[in-house]
Amino acid sequence: MKQTTRHSRQKHCFVALYVSDGEWIVARGYRLYRYNPETDELTYFSRLAGTKNALLACFRLTRRLFRAEITHLYHLQSGGWMCIARKALFKYNQESGLFEKCHDIEKGSRPMNLCQGPDGTIYYGEYCYNPQRRPMHIMQSKDEGQTWQVAYTFGDGEINHIHGIFSDPYVPDRMWVATGDDDQACIFGYTEDGFETLVRQYQGNQQYRVCVPLFTEREIIFATDSQYEQNYIHSIDRLTGEVRNLQPIQGSGIYAAQNGQLMMVSTTVEPSSVNLDQQSHLWYSRDGHQWHELTAYKKDWLPCTYFQFGSIRFPHYEGESPYIVFTGRALKGLDQQTMTIDIER
């Protein structure tokens, strides 16, 4: 349902990567800046060192064509920073003032996310086009990115790829992992021992095709990411395990975020026989149950095979911010630009 809400909007020529009440970190290509939303001031922070993709990242269309972009930025438990860019992970070096490469990505252009466990171990899941369902690894680093080892392997024939790994803020030591894409390859399960074992709690159909789960004390909220079936925002009751449909959405639910108690889900323009909508829609909820559509942007004219699907993406929130912040990719009027909305709560 649509809801009329008073809010002010401001568009910015940068990609928002990290948002907290105190500071934002944003990117223009492979350069990062600190941004103050109250004063609208932008100050240089750092850049990615020694990468051949830096020139491609300078231009909007080459950035999209070659996937030469910073997709995620993480504030580590130690206070350091790590980011995902094309074919590599980069960690901030205080002495040089640069983000320096700490790990090469072997499969695909990048993982979908990083996750830092309660003990400081950093994890990511391999993500690439893998129709043969060859083995896919969960990788780990126990020294903040300096060295990496295999933590867990999905064997031959099991999955296509790993959508992400996510710490559960309400269950100590629990991390959830989501995989896809075909029915038996859709797994949503968890570990409580650093992937020595994996409990495959849900598996076997598109209803469990999760990309980004959102957590409350009693439930897990997620959107499905299917090109085969109608997509929904679902809830999982932690006590009973029951999965319920909450809200049908217009396309694949690849991106989601949580800003305090405020939850956000966007749809991606990923055309299929069931996903016919040509807009990326942003949905939000204050309780995880009542969902409202906030805005939508149309896919631009460039072919998605080369220039990516149309999507609304979110920064990583730390704490609670008075703003809804989202960045567009391959959207008319919001390609690699960020919109901030000061919404009345």
Side-chain angles (χ1 to χ4, degrees):
M1 66 183 74
K2 284 199 174 183
Q3 175 171 288
T4 302
T5 308
R6 290 183 296 162
H7 53 262
S8 60
R9 302 180 180 222
Q10 187 174 3
K11 189 188 293 186
H12 310 272
C13 292
F14 54 63
V15 173
L17 296 172
Y18 169 86
V19 169
S20 73
D21 191 34
E23 70 172 342
W24 297 13
I25 306 294
V26 304
R28 288 177 174 167
Y30 273 13
R31 297 174 70 87
L32 295 114
Y33 299 83
R34 298 184 188 275
Y35 175 70
N36 186 325
E38 302 302 321
T39 63
D40 200 32
E41 291 180 323
L42 199 67
T43 56
Y44 175 78
F45 169 38
S46 184
R47 64 178 174 83
L48 273 58
T51 171
K52 62 183 179 181
N53 293 302
L55 181 60
L56 298 174
C58 290
F59 305 99
R60 183 172 61 89
L61 294 185
T62 55
R63 194 182 308 159
R64 283 170 55 183
L65 179 63
F66 293 97
R67 279 53 173 174
E69 57 185 336
I70 303 171
T71 56
H72 297 278
L73 176 69
Y74 298 89
H75 197 196
L76 304 178
Q77 294 171 11
S78 65
W81 298 92
M82 186 176 291
C83 70
I84 301 174
R86 174 175 165 79
K87 298 297 291 183
L89 305 181
F90 293 79
K91 184 180 177 183
Y92 181 64
N93 183 323
Q94 276 193 313
E95 293 185 4
S96 68
L98 301 174
F99 277 80
E100 298 174 353
K101 185 166 68 172
C102 63
H103 181 61
D104 288 306
I105 300 299
E106 294 182 3
K107 296 177 184 176
S109 64
R110 61 188 178 271
M112 294 294 280
N113 82 327
L114 300 179
C115 175
Q116 190 165 23
D119 66 350
T121 301
I122 301 170
Y123 300 89
Y124 75 83
E126 292 183 322
Y127 182 87
C128 66
Y129 181 64
N130 182 25
Q132 302 86 1
R133 295 194 187 180
R134 294 182 176 129
M136 300 296 285
H137 302 305
I138 292 173
M139 305 296 296
Q140 68 177 9
S141 173
K142 294 182 177 293
D143 52 12
E144 290 208 334
Q146 299 309 306
T147 60
W148 294 81
Q149 306 83 33
V150 174
Y152 185 88
T153 299
F154 291 95
D156 194 43
E158 287 198 280
I159 66 169
N160 301 97
H161 46 228
I162 299 164
H163 288 159
I165 302 163
F166 309 90
S167 286
D168 191 324
Y170 296 95
V171 184
D173 299 324
R174 179 173 292 185
M175 291 179 289
W176 291 85
V177 59
T179 73
D181 278 333
D182 300 329
D183 284 354
Q184 284 303 311
C186 293
I187 299 170
F188 188 53
Y190 64 86
T191 182
E192 293 180 342
D193 56 14
F195 291 102
E196 291 292 328
T197 59
L198 179 67
V199 178
R200 303 184 181 205
Q201 184 161 347
Y202 301 95
Q203 182 175 5
N205 65 59
Q206 297 294 294
Q207 188 180 29
Y208 310 135
R209 188 166 162 176
V210 182
C211 280
V212 181
L214 307 173
F215 299 99
T216 71
E217 187 175 1
R218 296 184 178 182
E219 293 178 301
I220 299 173
I221 310 295
F222 67 93
T224 53
D225 159 41
S226 179
Q227 70 268 40
Y228 307 119
E229 300 177 2
Q230 167 68 50
N231 286 289
Y232 289 88
I233 299 171
H234 291 291
S235 70
I236 294 174
D237 186 294
R238 288 183 183 269
L239 185 62
T240 67
E242 179 187 7
V243 181
R244 291 199 301 131
N245 293 350
L246 299 176
Q247 174 68 51
I249 53 177
Q250 301 91 336
S252 300
I254 297 176
Y255 301 104
Q258 214 161 346
N259 175 10
Q261 297 302 308
L262 187 68
M263 300 181 182
M264 294 161 282
V265 167
S266 70
T267 65
T268 292
V269 184
E270 185 178 11
S272 72
S273 60
V274 296
N275 293 330
L276 303 176
D277 195 281
Q278 291 299 302
Q279 291 184 309
S280 177
H281 300 257
L282 194 162
W283 292 81
Y284 76 99
S285 172
R286 292 186 175 89
D287 62 6
H289 285 253
Q290 297 297 317
W291 287 85
H292 311 284
E293 185 181 332
L294 179 63
T295 191
Y297 291 85
K298 188 176 181 180
K299 170 74 176 73
D300 67 15
W301 63 275
L302 291 164
C304 59
T305 302
Y306 300 106
F307 291 97
Q308 305 191 48
F309 296 127
S311 59
I312 289 171
R313 300 177 295 155
F314 303 102
H316 291 278
Y317 284 91
E318 187 171 284
E320 189 169 358
S321 168
Y323 298 93
I324 288 179
V325 184
F326 58 93
T327 297
R329 178 199 280 152
L331 298 176
K332 188 175 181 180
L334 198 70
D335 181 35
Q336 296 165 76
Q337 295 176 305
T338 290
M339 185 71 72
T340 64
I341 300 180
D342 183 359
I343 189 166
E344 186 179 281
R345 291 176 178 270

